[in-house]
Amino acid sequence: MRVLNLRSFNILLISTLFLFASCKTSYYQATVSNKQMLAIDNSIAEDSSIRNYIEPYKVQLDVAMNRVIGLAPENMIHNRNLPETNLSNFFIDALLAIGKKIDPEVSFSLATKDGIRSSIKEGDVTVRTIFELMPFENYVTILELKGSDVMTLANFIAKSNGQPVGNVKIKIKDKQLVDFRINDQPIDPNKTYKLVTYDFVANGGDHVEGLSNPIQLHTSTERVREALISHIEELTKSGKKVEAKLDGRVEIIK
């Protein structure tokens, strides 16, 4: 069987997966034997019958994915090597706001540098932008943690040289924790704290430490991606833009 134009097919395939995939975060270990590399490039002629069959669906998907939901006044560059970026601050502050809507007692938010997958370019922010930023089927999750577990988490953040955090200030030197505060207060080991993150992280993804023994764990029915789209739409309705600044919440001491 011949194959249609590769770029068109890829766009359609990715868009379809984004829109219709609905399973929760899962881990699959595939075993492949008899591996064979097949080159799929412009040397393969386009099959017009397949293209014509897919085209109406592609048009509908493009309309949905290209819908403008906000405006970014400047580039927000993805860089997983930096402990803090305007992109990670925007994402994690949005997640904090989303978590507080679900549970007003949420006091801080956490993501991982590897969990944010693309930049937001200056200009229109579309549904596609957010699908590229968060391509995973992750659900908003809230954990209630003991103060001692929060400190374990803080040490993990220091050991990994910083992660995206909201309503937190952390100081790190030589990947060792110097200071960690939530809402500008030191951690009380006798208190509990509510954290909003997503189910991948809550279930041990990216090897995050300190989350394996929560007092309570609530995984909402809302995906991070859809919640983020709604959050940006609300920003736009209130006259705000998709932006964030560096504020030194993650400080690496030289």
Side-chain angles (χ1 to χ4, degrees):
M1 180 179 70
R2 291 182 295 175
V3 181
L4 79 168
N5 177 274
L6 177 61
R7 185 169 183 274
S8 298
F9 180 79
N10 282 340
I11 292 173
L12 178 63
L13 177 61
I14 293 170
S15 300
T16 302
L17 290 173
F18 282 164
L19 283 181
F20 298 113
S22 59
C23 60
K24 285 189 174 183
T25 302
S26 302
Y27 305 94
Y28 298 99
Q29 181 67 47
T31 300
V32 178
S33 60
N34 300 323
K35 296 177 184 178
Q36 183 180 7
M37 299 297 291
L38 299 175
I40 301 177
D41 51 31
N42 292 335
S43 64
I44 301 175
E46 178 177 296
D47 189 320
S48 59
S49 64
I50 295 178
R51 179 184 179 86
N52 292 338
Y53 178 81
I54 292 175
E55 188 62 25
Y57 303 102
K58 179 180 180 303
V59 170
Q60 293 180 42
L61 286 170
D62 283 343
V63 169
M65 298 294 283
N66 294 335
R67 181 168 63 89
V68 176
I69 57 175
L71 176 68
E74 61 182 5
N75 287 323
M76 304 171 77
I77 304 301
H78 172 48
N79 188 332
R80 64 180 64 182
N81 296 317
L82 294 178
E84 179 188 348
T85 67
N86 59 352
L87 177 66
S88 64
N89 284 358
F90 172 78
F91 177 83
I92 202 63
D93 288 346
L95 185 59
L96 180 63
I98 292 164
K100 282 182 174 293
K101 281 188 175 180
I102 298 172
D103 185 341
E105 294 182 353
V106 165
S107 58
F108 71 118
S109 55
L110 168 77
T112 64
K113 290 179 286 191
D114 285 339
I116 301 172
R117 287 307 178 98
S118 72
S119 304
I120 295 178
K121 296 180 180 178
E122 177 184 354
D124 289 340
V125 176
T126 66
V127 171
R128 187 186 304 276
T129 306
I130 305 308
F131 268 77
E132 293 171 348
L133 178 73
M134 174 52 72
F136 311 107
E137 301 301 301
N138 291 330
Y139 288 78
V140 180
T141 300
I142 295 172
L143 302 92
E144 184 175 4
L145 301 172
K146 294 181 291 187
S148 56
D149 285 333
V150 172
M151 289 309 298
T152 300
L153 173 61
N155 281 292
F156 164 80
I157 296 171
K159 185 171 64 177
S160 57
N161 221 30
Q163 298 290 346
V165 286
N167 202 29
V168 164
K169 287 188 176 179
I170 180 170
K171 294 182 180 179
I172 303 167
K173 184 174 184 179
D174 297 330
K175 297 189 176 181
Q176 299 294 315
L177 183 65
V178 175
D179 191 34
F180 185 85
R181 294 172 183 264
I182 295 175
N183 201 26
D184 210 26
Q185 297 294 318
I187 303 304
D188 184 340
N190 298 313
K191 289 186 177 181
T192 65
Y193 298 83
K194 288 190 176 180
L195 163 71
V196 59
T197 182
Y198 36 88
D199 57 337
F200 173 76
V201 171
N203 293 324
D206 285 343
H207 309 291
V208 176
E209 299 170 3
L211 307 183
S212 60
N213 189 32
I215 296 171
Q216 289 185 329
L217 185 152
H218 169 68
T219 300
S220 79
T221 58
E222 190 169 25
R223 292 186 186 89
V224 174
R225 187 173 55 235
E226 278 73 26
L228 191 57
I229 290 170
S230 297
H231 176 77
I232 293 173
E233 289 175 326
E234 290 175 7
L235 289 179
T236 302
K237 287 179 182 176
S238 61
K240 297 179 181 177
K241 298 176 181 177
V242 178
E243 59 185 342
K245 302 295 183 185
L246 300 179
D247 55 18
R249 68 184 69 183
V250 182
E251 182 180 354
I252 307 296
I253 301 173
K254 301 298 183 182

